[in-house]
């Protein structure tokens, strides 16, 4: 009887310990929790140069350089994890990581899931095609095989153009390529999509400006790219932010403080030049 009691007590204590130390999978990602753990965990998807890419088996890039400054400011180590892009927001929400840093476009939909920092740079959608392709405009994508990175703004733009959307009254709004025979294929990152341009498995890849330009620069003349311009002449316009769990205010304040400083010192632009050159040299 006494033995059983001690066993139950021991089990209870172990359970409590797990709950406290975060072994249950949920970590304390508040500023205090990060300081206690001694590390800042950042999730990214490293197929998106110059913002994040693998160099010498390490994830580097603009977002990582920014997060290094944030870790320094907090006084902890930085731990970067390379995961699927479409899982990053969920991981931030559930506390697996403190910061999502992946050239993430700030959108109203995403704001329902996470909190965003101030914007540290802007981007536009670009279309990458083979150098000898006849595709010269967004409208030319009608009937074509288009590749995008899963869960990105490019994915949403092309998928909506193919399937159409639903307006506030529940009415179907025809998409630009609806019924044209155009298809969308999703990939883990834009580089993997671009590989499929070579053997004509895809006709075009849609992704953000700098990643598109670097794909072209590193293609030995195989590809070219141009800006996505809608038929009415309008352009896409996106702003990148880092994201944290909803209500993680103190961490967000540190992030914004560091970002404001980096922006004021022109460091973000320097990081962009540095890592664009580094990935091209690779
Ligand atoms: N800016 C785009 C978005 O937020 C694409 C980001 C992709 N980032 C990455 N690291 N793969 O949807």
């Amino acid at each position: 009887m006494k033995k059983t009691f001690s066993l139950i007590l021991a089990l209870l204590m172990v359970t409590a310990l797990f709950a406290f130390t975060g072994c249950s999978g949920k970590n304390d990602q508040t500023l205090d929790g990060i300081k206690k753990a001694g590390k800042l965990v950042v999730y990214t998807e490293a197929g998106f140069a110059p913002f994040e890419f693998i160099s010498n088996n390490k994830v580097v890039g603009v977002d990582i350089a920014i997060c290094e400054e944030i870790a320094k400011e907090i006084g902890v180590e930085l731990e970067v994890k390379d995961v699927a892009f479409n899982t990053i927001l969920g991981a931030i929400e559930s506390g697996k990581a403190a910061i999502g840093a992946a050239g993430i476009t700030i959108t109203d939909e995403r704001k329902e899931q996470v909190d965003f920092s101030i914007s540290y740079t802007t981007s536009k959608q670009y279309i990458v095609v083979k150098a000898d392709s006849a595709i010269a405009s967004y409208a030319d994508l009608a009937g074509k095989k288009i590749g995008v990175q899963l869960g990105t703004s490019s994915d949403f733009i092309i998928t909506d153009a193919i399937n159409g959307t639903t307006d506030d009254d529940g009415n179907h709004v025809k998409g630009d390529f609806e019924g044209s025979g155009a298809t969308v294929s999703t990939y883990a990152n834009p580089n993997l999509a671009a590989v499929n341009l070579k053997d004509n498995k895809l006709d075009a890849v849609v992704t953000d400006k700098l990643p598109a330009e670097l794909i072209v620069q590193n293609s030995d003349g195989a590809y070219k790219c141009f800006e996505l311009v809608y038929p009415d002449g309008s352009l896409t316009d996106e702003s990148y932010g880092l994201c944290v769990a909803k209500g993680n205010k103190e961490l967000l304040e540190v992030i914004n403080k560091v970002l404001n400083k980096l922006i004021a010192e022109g460091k973000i632009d320097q990081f962009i030049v540095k890592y664009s050159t580094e990935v091209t040299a690779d």
Side-chain angles (χ1 to χ4, degrees):
M1 183 64 189
K2 219 175 158 197
K3 244 189 186 163
T4 328
F5 182 72
S6 345
L7 195 72
I8 292 174
L9 196 71
L11 272 176
L12 276 175
M13 278 164 71
V14 170
T15 318
L17 197 70
F18 266 99
F20 274 117
T21 53
C23 291
S24 56
K26 256 206 173 173
N27 295 315
D28 181 1
Q29 303 294 5
T30 63
L31 197 52
D32 275 348
I34 291 165
K35 282 181 185 160
K36 263 183 214 138
K39 64 174 182 187
L40 175 69
V41 182
V42 169
Y43 271 26
T44 192
E45 189 288 312
F48 202 66
F51 294 98
E52 38 269 333
F53 56 100
I54 312 268
S55 174
N56 296 321
N57 291 317
K58 254 190 79 184
V59 183
V60 296
V62 177
D63 284 315
I64 313 309
I66 292 173
C67 289
E68 260 157 17
E69 294 298 322
I70 297 167
K72 218 193 274 168
E73 174 74 25
I74 303 174
V76 293
E77 239 169 72
L78 178 68
E79 185 180 304
V80 181
K81 270 211 168 160
D82 183 12
V83 302
F85 181 78
N86 64 326
T87 66
I88 296 176
L89 263 59
I92 298 305
E93 217 182 359
S94 69
K96 277 196 195 122
I99 302 179
I104 304 172
T105 301
I106 304 170
T107 67
D108 288 339
E109 290 83 18
R110 288 173 175 168
K111 276 188 195 161
E112 288 173 15
Q113 215 181 340
V114 292
D115 284 347
F116 278 101
S117 70
I118 58 163
S119 159
Y120 55 92
T121 193
T122 58
S123 187
K124 301 218 175 298
Q125 292 295 315
Y126 264 56
I127 299 167
V128 183
V129 295
K130 261 178 55 172
D132 58 3
S133 171
I135 298 171
S137 72
Y138 167 78
D140 289 343
L141 295 179
K144 296 296 192 290
K145 298 183 291 260
I146 309 161
V148 294
Q149 181 179 23
L150 180 65
T152 58
S153 22
S154 320
D155 182 2
F156 304 141
I157 288 169
I158 298 304
T159 301
D160 284 353
I162 291 176
N163 296 338
T165 51
T166 310
D167 69 13
D168 290 341
D169 303 323
N171 299 316
H172 184 82
V173 182
K174 195 166 185 281
D176 291 332
F177 309 136
E178 201 175 333
S180 73
T183 58
V184 63
S185 304
T186 53
Y187 294 83
N189 65 53
N191 311 307
L192 294 172
V195 170
N196 283 305
L197 289 170
K198 271 202 184 114
D199 49 12
N200 299 317
K201 276 198 194 121
L202 287 179
D203 300 307
V205 172
V206 180
T207 186
D208 295 19
K209 179 178 198 267
L210 294 180
E213 287 178 340
L214 286 176
I215 286 171
V216 171
Q217 265 182 47
N218 292 323
S219 76
D220 283 326
Y223 307 145
K224 61 184 176 186
C225 69
F226 54 89
E227 194 170 345
L228 191 163
V229 183
Y230 286 115
D232 66 359
S234 65
L235 301 170
T236 57
D237 186 11
E238 303 184 18
S239 295
Y240 291 175
L242 302 182
C243 67
V244 301
K246 276 205 152 300
N248 197 350
K249 236 184 109 206
E250 284 163 356
L251 176 60
L252 197 57
E253 273 164 17
V254 176
I255 294 173
N256 283 337
K257 184 181 154 198
V258 171
L259 284 177
N260 273 316
K261 188 166 164 265
L262 291 174
I263 293 166
E265 290 170 345
K267 285 270 172 63
I268 307 282
D269 292 331
Q270 284 175 26
F271 290 158
I272 289 174
V273 172
K274 175 174 186 231
Y275 290 105
S276 296
T277 318
E278 195 174 312
V279 72
T280 309
D282 251 8

